[in-house]
Every structure is written in structure tokens, then in C-alpha cells.
Amino acid sequence: TKAQLTTGSLAITGNVGFSSTTVEAQPDDFKSTTFSFSPEFLYFASDNVAVGLGVSISGTKDKPSDDKTSLTTFGPLVRFQGKLADKATGFAQLNLNFGGGSSESEDSYFNQSNGTIVQYTRKDKFSLFSIALSPGVNYQIKKHFFLDFRYGLLGYTGVNNKPDDTENKDVKDYKSSSFDINIDLSTLRLGALFMF
């Protein structure tokens, strides 16, 4: 008997990502490395609705500058699903994410008191809220194992930025926001789902 994602099912899904970009230039090559780990935990309250919790950890590091950024988010989610075929289920998932992170980069400012340019490592912090809706398809491979495809994104992100003021007293806190509607290859995500 095939296992199905039905009322009372517990599942874990998500994906792991890694990318590396190198640009050959003089005097030093530029290299950027990014990783992400995004598990989600689901409980199917009915045959068509699952609720759960998502967590995401990601980071980027650049060379030779040693600039780096880290981000951690978590939040509730709800997934609405319907059967498409014998082994395929379509879904739409809504995620609310809360979290924050930090970044380090080389920066400089003009010191008016002595007329010099000061170089320093700037350490900024930020907090984040986002809401995202993504469609997708689950395809069953084995009794408890599914592939999880997602394509497209409709979302809003708001960020409170707190720049480092330990060196440069002129920097100020600021807010930024973005609204996204994306249906391209950058939103294509392939993950796995395991049902307990």
C-alpha cells in the first residue's frame, strides 16, 4: 500500500543549496561562495491542509575582501494541496518568516578631526520580516519519499538595518522593503520530502 500525505501525516521537507562564483581579474581573482539550509516540518491537519514550521540558515563569503553575510529565519507555514495524478500532488505554500543576520565588510570614512581617511571593518546587523507564497508539486518516488518541486514566488520583505556606528558616527539606521513577483529559473527549487 502506498503511503499518502493525508490527515495525521508528519513530514519533513526542504533543501540544501551551494553556489560558487569566480571572476578572474587583476591583481586578485574575485570569488563568492553562498550556502543555504532550509528544512520545514509539516503536520497534515486534513487531506488538503498542512501546517508547520520553517527554518532557514544561509551565508555568503567573498574573497579576497573577506566580506561576509549571514542570515537566520524561522516562522510558521501553511500548505494547501490537491491531487494531480496517481503520484503527483500540487500545492501552494504560504510562509511567514522572522529573523535577522549580520554582515562584515571593509569600509572607510573621512575623519574631519585630523583630516585622514580611516579604514575599518564595518559590522552591520539587520532584522527581517517576510511573507512568501510559492506553488509547487510533490512527486512520490518511494513509499515515504517524495521529490518537492517549487517554481515561482510572490512575496514581500521588510528589513530594519542597523549599520555599525563604532567607528563612523555618521551612519544611521534605515529601513528597506521589497515586493517580488518572480516566475523564472531563479525561483526553481528542488528539494525532498520524507513522510514519517
Side-chain angles (χ1 to χ4, degrees):
T1 303
K2 288 191 301 182
Q4 299 289 336
L5 295 168
T6 55
T7 304
S9 297
L10 292 172
I12 182 171
T13 184
N15 57 61
V16 177
F18 176 83
S19 68
S20 180
T21 302
T22 301
V23 177
E24 295 182 3
Q26 295 296 329
D28 297 305
D29 293 347
F30 171 80
K31 183 174 183 179
S32 180
T33 305
T34 302
F35 77 91
S36 64
F37 175 58
S38 305
E40 294 174 342
F41 306 90
L42 299 169
Y43 169 73
F44 285 80
S46 73
D47 289 355
N48 301 113
V49 180
V51 293
L53 177 69
V55 179
S56 178
I57 301 170
S58 62
T60 300
K61 188 169 184 178
D62 299 333
K63 288 288 189 181
S65 64
D66 283 332
D67 292 356
K68 54 187 175 182
T69 302
S70 62
L71 172 65
T72 301
T73 63
F74 65 94
L77 63 89
V78 59
R79 177 180 288 203
F80 304 93
Q81 71 169 20
K83 193 169 184 179
L84 298 177
D86 185 40
K87 294 184 177 183
T89 302
F91 66 85
Q93 183 167 305
L94 182 68
N95 288 67
L96 292 177
N97 297 307
F98 306 88
S102 63
S103 63
E104 291 187 17
S105 60
E106 295 302 313
D107 204 352
S108 63
Y109 66 94
F110 181 71
N111 188 333
Q112 295 182 356
S113 63
N114 59 18
T116 62
I117 295 178
V118 179
Q119 302 279 345
Y120 72 108
T121 300
R122 177 169 162 172
K123 300 178 180 180
D124 297 347
K125 294 182 179 180
F126 57 91
S127 59
L128 174 147
F129 165 76
S130 69
I131 180 170
L133 178 65
S134 55
V137 174
N138 284 136
Y139 187 80
Q140 188 172 26
I141 301 298
K142 292 187 176 181
K143 185 175 181 180
H144 293 275
F145 184 75
F146 301 74
L147 291 180
D148 188 280
F149 297 94
R150 300 186 201 185
Y151 184 70
L153 175 69
L154 171 64
Y156 167 83
T157 302
V159 181
N160 289 322
N161 298 276
K162 298 184 177 298
D164 184 4
D165 62 359
T166 56
E167 289 278 351
N168 185 0
K169 305 302 181 182
D170 293 331
V171 297
K172 306 293 183 184
D173 294 359
Y174 65 97
K175 295 182 180 181
S176 59
S177 62
S178 63
F179 179 76
D180 300 300
I181 301 176
N182 291 323
I183 305 177
D184 57 32
L185 289 177
S186 68
T187 62
L188 179 61
R189 294 173 56 190
L190 172 61
L193 183 146
F194 181 80
M195 189 185 76
F196 296 97

